[in-house]
Amino acid sequence: CPNCSAVIDDLKKSLALAGCGNEPMHFAPILLLGEPGIGKTHFAKELAHVLGTGYEFVPMSSLTAGWILSGASSQWTNAKPGKVASTLVGGEYANPLMVLDEVDKAGGDARYDPMGALYGLLERDTARAFKDEFIEVEMDASHILWVSTANDESSLPEPILSRMNVYEVPRPDADAAYRIACRLYREIVAAHDWGFPAEPPAELMERLADVPPRDMKKRLMAAFGTAKLDGRSELKAADLDLPPLEKWLDRPM
């Protein structure tokens, strides 16, 4: 994730402090801000994989009420615990990574603000006494690692923004895009017994670097299928079937 280097640098500092003090890994809530398709959600998933403390993905664009995070009272029909309590109770660690995807698109009835629970959860002092409305027992949610993604911060309440470290995630430059394309190729080849070479062809990777990271895997999968239909176990640049558009990297934001 070369375009997330600023976040990675700060996470290394947090990890160094945790290791030095023999403490649990912890960092301030993170907001990854940037245009769609540049790898924000992918970075969050990769971070969860590296840390290995558990992972919960919450698509905020589909949330309409705060009880999704903090639970609903047992007096309500079909009530159940929220995402936070379920993750802590069902997981192996007290510091799972909670990813709030597209947090700027959370909506719904203002009376049941889906962002409401975050005011307490993003503050370590108040999160230590978090109480899910369904379970009604205090639990320590202060170790949860929070990563949020958004395209635009203007719709986010200032008190929520003030609780986060905000990182502007840029588009990858040509070199970074090339490295992302190569990594995706190697991951796909390693995951399947299709007979393709372990190392990607340079010409194909250079062409693939012209599309957003979100589209790279789809293009590669289609290219692998095209090659197999043609009886080949190696890719050609033409297999990508890229549309005749101006390069993504060159387009204005």
Side-chain angles (χ1 to χ4, degrees), residues 7-162:
V7 195
I8 295 172
D9 288 344
D10 283 349
L11 288 172
K12 287 179 180 178
K13 297 171 186 177
S14 297
L15 190 57
L17 291 173
C20 179
N22 194 27
E23 301 169 353
M25 173 61 174
H26 183 77
F27 51 80
I30 289 172
L31 174 63
L32 303 176
L33 195 63
E35 63 181 300
I38 57 175
K40 301 185 299 296
T41 303
H42 172 77
F43 171 79
K45 291 179 179 178
E46 286 295 299
L47 177 60
H49 174 73
V50 170
L51 294 178
T53 59
Y55 170 75
E56 183 66 35
F57 181 80
V58 184
M60 296 295 287
S61 60
S62 64
L63 295 193
T64 57
W67 59 264
I68 301 295
L69 288 173
S70 57
S73 171
S74 57
Q75 299 178 11
W76 292 91
T77 304
N78 299 323
K80 59 182 180 180
K83 293 279 189 180
V84 172
S86 297
T87 302
L88 290 175
V89 173
E92 298 182 31
Y93 299 94
N95 59 339
L97 188 74
M98 190 81 68
V99 178
L100 306 178
D101 195 47
E102 296 187 320
V103 70
D104 53 328
K105 295 180 176 60
D109 192 324
R111 295 174 299 172
Y112 312 104
D113 182 8
M115 304 282 284
L118 295 178
Y119 290 94
L121 286 167
L122 297 182
E123 289 280 7
R124 295 201 76 182
D125 289 343
T126 52
R128 288 189 178 94
F130 169 73
K131 183 180 289 187
D132 183 274
E133 290 191 36
F134 182 84
I135 299 176
E136 295 186 339
V137 173
E138 281 191 2
M139 58 184 69
D140 187 353
S142 64
H143 296 288
I144 291 178
L145 307 173
W146 295 95
V147 176
S148 304
T149 72
N151 303 137
D152 179 17
E153 81 275 27
S154 61
S155 63
L156 297 177
E158 180 57 35
I160 294 293
L161 279 175
S162 68

Side-chain angles (χ1 to χ4, degrees), residues 185-206:
Y185 175 95
R186 295 186 186 105
E187 286 179 356
I188 295 172
V189 168
H192 301 280
D193 189 18
W194 293 339
F196 289 93
E199 288 301 310
E203 182 186 0
L204 182 136
M205 293 298 100
E206 288 172 0

Side-chain angles (χ1 to χ4, degrees), residues 203-223:
E203 182 186 0
L204 182 136
M205 293 298 100
E206 288 172 0
R207 293 199 67 200
L208 191 63
D210 289 343
V211 302
R214 175 179 289 174
D215 294 333
M216 287 181 181
K217 186 173 184 177
K218 293 184 288 186
R219 299 284 188 182
L220 272 175
M221 293 300 290

Side-chain angles (χ1 to χ4, degrees), residues 237-251:
D239 293 333
L240 287 175
D241 191 27
L242 294 177
L245 298 175
E246 59 181 329
K247 287 187 177 183
W248 174 73
L249 290 171
D250 296 335
R251 292 208 303 267

